[in-house]
């Protein structure tokens, strides 16, 4: 079962409850929201529209950028939160822009309004209660085609008070969980991927070729959900980023429900009593040379993944996992939002790399792994701000026992899509 480390903040929500029966009931309740065809394909147009718009935002940031370029980490966190609020929660752009930075600051512990997150969640629930357009895939009117899927995640959380007799604390816990985990991990992943492609122009060029061909093949039409599978090299880049820079370095936390015996050093049996806390870390396994070869600490999207570790064939609801690889943890308690994350990342990144190229700014060119870690593990793993201003801010924070400042600054240039050819 789940270890109790999240319970004080997220109560008996789906990620934190130690009651496996209650977890199973919640999982069954939420799962329809993340089904590829019944739900994600229906909200895809909202996700796509935001991905298209974020290119304008990137262009404005590029034009206003200074010596170190664009702070792409903040950009990706903002856009992941925008996707979450508008596509899954059904919030309008005005509400999203009003709350985007505030909720991210609340999660970072720097929003002076201690009630911000609570008030935001309650306002979102109020919006659902007063608007009959919110809907989930299983509703009769949706199934009959009389009503589209809209804001399904807001509606499913709102309905839990009746369907599951869920109290307001657990509703709040689920809203907070999804508002955080649904943007933070995805924002980190897109940042690390863009960093690695800025560091490896040969792979970036290959991705440019793929996305140019992708849009050429669309022949002027908008992508649909099924088109997400037509970006195999981008898929490899995403999976390699999740391997090298797992968003949750520490992995998952569990607590044994029964006495267990495992094989320890030298083949000796080791007894683990009921109640023992168990951790399955990602960082050490994902970078192990014994498991991945001598280039385990290098970014290589062409490496030999097993079939279970990369999406293949039809783009579908699938958890990429093996004994050496678990970016979304293991079933049955794997990440509920993995399919949505894969969808939004493909559209955001395909549009950005179609219109822009990225290169390292000077502070990141000069970084080497012997000086200090680039990653900053604050439960999830984002990049350190290596600009002089960022390092100075981190020094001030250390005096107060606070975590280093996060950031990633890259040089962004517009590009003209070149002649495409099948890869």
């Amino acid at each position: 079962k789940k270890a109790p480390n999240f319970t004080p903040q997220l109560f008996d929500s789906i990620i934190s409850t130690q009651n496996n029966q209650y977890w199973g009931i919640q999982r069954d309740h939420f799962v329809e929201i993340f089904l590829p065809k019944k739900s994600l394909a229906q909200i895809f147009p909202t996700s796509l529209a935001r991905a298209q718009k974020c290119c304008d935002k990137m262009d404005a940031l590029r034009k206003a950028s200074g010596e170190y370029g664009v702070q792409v980490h903040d950009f990706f966190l903002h856009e992941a939160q925008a996707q979450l609020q508008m596509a899954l929660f059904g919030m309008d752009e005005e509400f999203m822009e009003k709350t985007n930075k505030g909720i991210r600051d609340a999660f970072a512990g720097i929003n002076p309004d201690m009630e911000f997150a609570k008030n935001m969640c309650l306002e979102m629930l109020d919006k659902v209660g007063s608007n009959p357009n919110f809907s989930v895939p299983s509703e009769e009117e949706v199934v009959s085609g009389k009503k589209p899927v809209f804001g399904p995640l807001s509606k499913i959380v709102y309905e839990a008070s009746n369907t599951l007799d869920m109290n307001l604390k657990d509703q709040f816990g689920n809203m907070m969980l999804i508002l955080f985990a649904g943007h933070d991990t995805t924002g980190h992943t897109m940042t690390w991927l863009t960093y690695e492609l800025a560091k490896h122009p040969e792979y970036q060029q290959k991705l440019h070729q793929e996305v140019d061909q992708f849009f050429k093949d669309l022949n002027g039409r908008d992508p649909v959900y099924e088109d997400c599978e037509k970006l195999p090299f981008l898929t490899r880049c995403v999976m390699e980023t999740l391997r090298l820079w797992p968003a949750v370095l520490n992995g998952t936390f569990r607590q044994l429900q029964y006495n267990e015996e495992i094989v320890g050093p030298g083949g000796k049996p080791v007894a683990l009593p009921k109640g023992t806390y168990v951790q399955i870390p990602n960082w050490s396994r994902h970078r192990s040379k014994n498991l991945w070869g001598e280039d385990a600490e290098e970014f290589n999207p062409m490496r030999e993944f097993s079939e279970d570790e990369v999406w293949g064939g039809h783009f579908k609801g699938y958890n990429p996992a093996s004994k050496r690889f678990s970016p979304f943890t293991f079933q049955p308690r794997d990440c509920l939002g993995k399919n949505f994350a894969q969808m939004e990342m493909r559209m955001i990144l395909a549009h950005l790399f179609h219109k822009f190229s990225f290169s390292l700014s000077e502070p990141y060119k000069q970084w080497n792994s012997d000086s200090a870690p680039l990653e900053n593990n604050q439960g999830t793993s984002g990049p350190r701000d290596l600009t002089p201003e960022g390092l100075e801010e981190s020094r001030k924070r250390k005096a107060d026992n606070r975590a280093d400042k996060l950031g990633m600054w890259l040089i962004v240039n517009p590009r003209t899509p070149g002649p495409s050819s099948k890869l």
Side-chain angles (χ1 to χ4, degrees):
K1 63 182 180 181
K2 209 63 184 280
N5 46 325
F6 293 132
T7 308
Q9 295 82 27
L10 298 174
F11 311 108
D12 262 348
S13 68
I14 192 169
I15 198 174
S16 52
T17 183
Q18 288 197 284
N19 183 326
N20 277 351
Q21 183 178 4
Y22 188 43
W23 164 78
I25 292 170
Q26 289 188 71
R27 180 87 179 197
D28 288 345
H29 181 69
F30 281 100
V31 72
E32 69 168 301
I33 306 307
F34 300 98
L35 294 175
K37 294 295 181 70
K38 289 188 176 181
S39 184
L40 298 185
Q42 309 309 312
I43 62 173
F44 182 83
T46 304
S47 177
L48 172 64
R50 184 65 203 183
Q52 293 167 334
K53 188 166 185 175
C54 80
C55 288
D56 295 333
K57 181 178 174 67
M58 177 60 79
D59 198 45
L61 291 172
R62 174 192 68 81
K63 290 175 179 176
S65 64
E67 179 182 1
Y68 304 119
V70 175
Q71 216 284 47
V72 298
H73 183 241
D74 187 72
F75 168 83
F76 281 124
L77 289 174
H78 181 281
E79 289 307 305
Q81 180 68 218
Q83 288 272 337
L84 183 68
Q85 285 199 36
M86 297 175 73
L88 272 178
F89 280 110
M91 299 296 114
D92 58 36
E93 186 173 13
E94 181 182 0
F95 180 87
M96 181 277 293
E97 292 292 0
K98 180 181 75 172
T99 59
N100 195 312
K101 187 176 187 303
I103 190 62
R104 291 188 289 119
D105 285 350
F107 290 134
I110 58 175
N111 190 326
D113 181 359
M114 302 300 289
E115 301 292 307
F116 185 91
K118 180 191 76 174
N119 291 336
M120 177 182 169
C121 290
L122 291 175
E123 185 177 354
M124 291 171 72
L125 289 172
D126 285 343
K127 285 178 178 289
V128 184
S130 62
N131 185 348
N133 290 325
F134 282 89
S135 60
V136 298
S138 59
E139 284 185 31
E140 186 176 334
E141 286 185 292
V142 173
V143 174
S144 66
K146 296 178 181 178
K147 188 178 181 181
V149 174
F150 174 71
L153 194 47
S154 291
K155 184 64 178 291
I156 208 80
V157 173
Y158 180 83
E159 284 186 339
S161 61
N162 295 319
T163 309
L164 307 184
D165 195 25
M166 182 179 286
N167 61 48
L168 188 57
K169 284 201 308 182
D170 293 347
Q171 283 181 289
F172 171 77
N174 279 310
M175 293 286 278
M176 285 289 286
L177 158 68
I178 297 161
L179 282 169
F180 175 71
H183 93 277
D184 185 81
T185 53
T186 305
H188 290 340
T189 300
M190 290 191 288
T191 301
W192 289 121
L193 183 150
T194 307
Y195 163 75
E196 286 293 352
L197 292 184
K199 187 177 174 183
H200 296 279
E202 70 279 15
Y203 293 136
Q204 185 171 173
Q205 182 181 15
K206 188 175 178 66
L207 182 57
H208 284 318
Q209 292 172 344
E210 178 172 89
V211 296
D212 290 352
Q213 185 67 50
F214 175 78
F215 286 106
K216 181 181 179 182
D217 290 345
L218 291 175
N219 197 27
R221 69 169 175 84
D222 279 341
V224 294
Y225 180 78
E226 288 74 14
D227 290 319
C228 290
E229 69 181 65
K230 298 174 182 176
L231 294 160
F233 184 68
L234 178 54
T235 293
R236 282 188 159 271
C237 289
V238 170
M239 303 320 297
E240 177 67 351
T241 301
L242 289 168
R243 183 196 70 82
L244 191 63
W245 300 103
V248 185
L249 307 188
N250 298 327
T252 187
F253 300 86
R254 299 287 187 266
Q255 186 175 7
L256 294 184
Q257 294 191 91
Y258 310 99
N259 295 330
E260 296 281 359
E261 186 175 279
I262 63 172
V263 178
K268 295 181 179 179
V270 177
L272 299 178
K274 174 184 176 179
T276 299
Y277 292 153
V278 178
Q279 185 177 355
I280 306 172
N282 287 328
W283 184 263
S284 54
R285 287 182 304 121
H286 285 196
R287 287 177 171 242
S288 167
K289 291 183 179 180
N290 290 333
L291 298 174
W292 295 94
E294 288 301 311
D295 69 343
E297 300 213 14
E298 299 173 16
F299 181 79
N300 176 16
M302 300 309 295
R303 75 173 57 254
E304 188 175 342
F305 286 101
S306 72
E307 185 179 353
D308 291 339
E309 295 168 342
V310 179
W311 268 261
H314 295 292
F315 187 80
K316 55 188 176 182
Y318 176 69
N319 183 34
S322 66
K323 289 184 178 180
R324 64 178 183 173
F325 185 60
S326 54
F328 298 103
T329 193
F330 295 103
Q331 293 178 330
R333 290 186 80 145
D334 55 334
C335 172
L336 256 178
K338 58 189 178 297
N339 299 331
F340 180 76
Q342 294 287 353
M343 177 183 83
E344 64 174 307
M345 283 195 288
R346 277 159 181 73
M347 285 301 101
I348 291 173
L349 294 168
H351 280 84
L352 287 176
F353 280 94
H354 186 52
K355 293 192 174 182
F356 303 100
S357 63
F358 299 83
S359 57
L360 298 179
S361 62
E362 202 58 37
Y364 294 88
K365 283 183 183 177
Q366 296 177 2
W367 175 80
N368 68 78
S369 57
D370 296 329
S371 56
L374 183 55
E375 73 283 354
N376 188 12
N377 187 12
Q378 300 180 26
T380 59
S381 175
R384 298 176 189 273
D385 189 330
L386 299 185
T387 63
E389 295 81 3
L391 293 174
E392 177 60 26
E393 173 64 22
S394 291
R395 278 191 286 271
K396 292 178 182 177
R397 292 183 178 196
K398 275 186 169 61
D400 299 328
N401 293 316
R402 292 186 294 145
D404 287 355
K405 185 176 186 296
L406 296 180
M408 172 68 71
W409 297 79
L410 298 177
I411 306 301
V412 183
N413 286 304
R415 65 179 292 267
T416 302
S420 303
S421 59
K422 296 290 184 181
L423 298 178

